Amino acid sequence: MIAFTAFLGGLILVLSAGAGAAWAEGEGLRGTLTFQGQPVNGVKITVTTESGAPVAEVTSDAKGAWEVPVPAAGKYTVKLDAGTLPPNAQVRGGNVTRTPNVFAGNVSTVLFALVAADGAGAPGEEPESSAESRWWSRVAQLTFEGFNLGLIIALAAMGLSLIFGTTGLTNFSHGELVTLGAVFTYFFSSVVGLPVIVAGVAAVLLGGLFGYLQDRYFWGVLRGRGTGLIGMMIISIGVALFLRYAILFFFGPQSLPYNEYAGQPGIEVGPISAAPKNFIAMGIELAVLVIAGLALLKTRTGKAARAVADNPALAASSGINVDRVIRIIWTAGGAVAALAGVMLGLSQNVQFQMGQDMLLLIFAGVTLGGLGTAFGALVGSLVVGLFIQVSTLWVPPELKSVGALAVLIIVLLLRPQGILGRRERIG
């Protein structure tokens, strides 16, 4: 318990050290404009109150970022001047106005998704084949982005699924392990000054340590006392709230990028346009998932973990140290969740709610693939990520997660055990 307390103290120290750079006083609005992986500079943004009174007019900077402090909490109107966008870019859906709510003490993020303009080329003279080609290019781009998102979800979902399989715990604090990975990376890269790659490795190691200490001094103690799974699930909600608001208190509500690779120019690979960091991140994610899968299939620890997940009592009677296996799973789960946070921080800015926003998608991937199956979590996460991104061809980006959850409901109605889960008899 002393070691766990010491780790929490160190965590608070890390978050406190980054607080000076991250904390924002008062209310405001902000956003970041990117097009085909590159920041968009010089776009005019106008902010007015709900009644139409002017607040400010700003332009995006070299990193595509803009920020406007507002006089008080309330509802505001944010309008993007489409005439200041690059000639081949437009706002997805054509709606250049947003009406966000700003809460007391918070800075709200306003999203404008930029896509290739439908009218690129000679107006009214575009061949049908050209329009069809652009549509398929957009499908390819969204499919690539869906795989990228799906692999990030899969990293976090694999740990959550293995923890559920070996302990039966539905851990609602798993999303905060993702956030911690991103926050640790931000601290080591932006505050300490380490390269992002080194900072990411340090964050993964700390995530694994935090996972080990959680089970050694907290969840393992609760299991030893005979705490029921329902009680432990409710406790995990409390742990999630504690970690989330500890990060908010010390790190602040700001949305901040890593110092490196923030405005990396995109490259063209066939119909796909993305920053080099995205291709490298996907390679790392695939490698980690493949290594984790082979470890589960080929190593003694992996076979023991599958035995514990299948039948803990039988595994214990066969000489397997169940507590030791669970501790290894918690360590690995914390590490891969932190890695998911590192990769998510490369794709978007770091902020205290990023893990909470991912948690529903993580649960969707785990449930869709089959509860307790690591490979099911991978398949389910890829399906969720692909559907979320590709669905924006037909639905507004703000509703893309709703479609993914609709697919989850439909699949579970037709196959309750998930894609790779096994049908079980109840009663």
Side-chain angles (χ1 to χ4, degrees):
M1 191 65 185
I2 295 175
F4 187 58
T5 304
F7 183 85
L8 284 178
L11 171 61
I12 291 173
L13 181 62
V14 167
L15 296 176
S16 299
W23 186 265
E25 295 181 359
E27 299 80 24
L29 294 161
R30 69 151 53 90
T32 302
L33 300 172
T34 59
F35 177 59
Q36 296 181 342
Q38 301 184 44
V40 182
N41 185 20
V43 178
K44 186 165 69 173
I45 303 289
T46 303
V47 179
T48 60
T49 64
E50 190 176 15
S51 61
V55 175
E57 185 177 281
V58 296
T59 56
S60 57
D61 60 20
K63 294 184 178 181
W66 60 269
E67 184 170 357
V68 173
V70 296
K75 193 171 185 178
Y76 291 85
T77 299
V78 180
K79 186 174 182 179
L80 181 147
D81 186 351
T84 60
L85 289 173
N88 59 336
Q90 67 178 13
V91 177
R92 181 178 292 163
N95 182 12
V96 296
T97 302
R98 302 287 186 268
T99 55
N101 281 306
V102 178
F103 299 98
N106 287 330
V107 179
S108 296
T109 300
V110 182
L111 300 178
F112 288 100
L114 302 184
V115 297
D118 293 335
E125 299 180 1
E126 181 184 35
E128 184 179 345
S129 59
S130 177
E132 183 178 351
S133 174
R134 278 207 315 276
W135 191 86
W136 283 111
S137 296
R138 188 178 174 198
V139 170
Q141 180 71 31
L142 291 174
T143 301
F144 171 81
E145 294 173 2
F147 270 114
N148 190 16
L149 176 61
L151 288 172
I152 294 174
I153 298 172
L155 284 174
M158 177 174 283
L160 179 67
S161 184
L162 287 173
I163 290 170
F164 176 85
T166 52
T167 66
L169 171 64
T170 304
N171 183 20
F172 281 86
S173 64
H174 199 77
E176 273 50 58
L177 299 183
V178 176
T179 307
L180 283 175
V183 170
F184 281 141
T185 304
Y186 176 84
F187 169 76
F188 287 119
S189 63
S190 299
V191 179
V192 177
L194 296 177
V196 165
I197 295 175
V198 178
V201 172
V204 170
L205 294 175
L206 283 174
L209 176 62
F210 187 49
Y212 170 83
L213 292 175
Q214 272 195 88
D215 187 70
R216 175 68 178 84
Y217 296 103
F218 189 69
W219 298 112
V221 174
L222 293 177
R223 284 198 309 274
R225 293 177 177 176
T227 306
L229 291 177
I230 298 297
M232 292 178 71
M233 181 186 71
I234 295 172
I235 291 171
S236 76
I237 297 174
V239 173
L241 292 172
F242 169 77
L243 290 174
R244 186 180 314 148
Y245 289 106
I247 295 171
L248 170 63
F249 183 80
F250 291 106
F251 183 78
Q254 293 249 19
S255 178
L256 300 167
Y258 300 147
N259 280 350
E260 294 182 77
Y261 313 121
Q264 195 175 45
I267 58 174
E268 302 284 340
V269 180
I272 297 169
S273 174
K277 64 181 180 181
N278 293 330
F279 293 102
I280 296 173
M282 289 181 69
I284 294 173
E285 292 153 10
L286 277 171
V288 170
L289 290 169
V290 169
I291 291 171
L294 291 175
L296 282 172
L297 293 174
K298 302 297 183 181
T299 65
R300 291 183 60 186
T301 302
K303 294 176 182 178
R306 287 188 289 132
V308 171
D310 188 60
N311 192 322
L314 182 60
S317 66
S318 301
I320 296 175
N321 188 332
V322 174
D323 285 337
R324 179 176 176 273
V325 170
I326 291 175
R327 204 145 293 148
I328 292 173
I329 292 299
W330 265 99
T331 303
V336 294
L339 179 60
V342 175
M343 298 305 175
L344 190 61
L346 287 173
S347 301
Q348 64 182 56
N349 289 350
V350 179
Q351 52 102 8
F352 80 101
Q353 285 185 311
M354 60 192 304
Q356 177 193 7
D357 296 339
M358 284 283 291
L359 186 62
L360 190 58
L361 302 181
I362 295 170
F363 274 120
V366 170
T367 309
L368 185 60
L371 286 169
T373 63
F375 297 108
L378 170 60
V379 173
S381 298
L382 288 177
V383 171
V384 169
L386 279 171
F387 190 86
I388 283 177
Q389 295 301 113
V390 176
S391 66
T392 58
L393 287 168
W394 302 281
V395 301
E398 295 82 3
L399 300 178
K400 59 184 181 181
S401 296
V402 176
L405 297 178
V407 170
L408 170 65
I409 293 171
I410 293 171
V411 170
L412 293 183
L413 285 174
L414 300 176
R415 187 178 173 83
Q417 68 270 35
I419 297 173
L420 298 184
R422 293 177 299 178
R423 188 180 296 274
E424 296 182 1
R425 179 183 174 187
I426 300 175

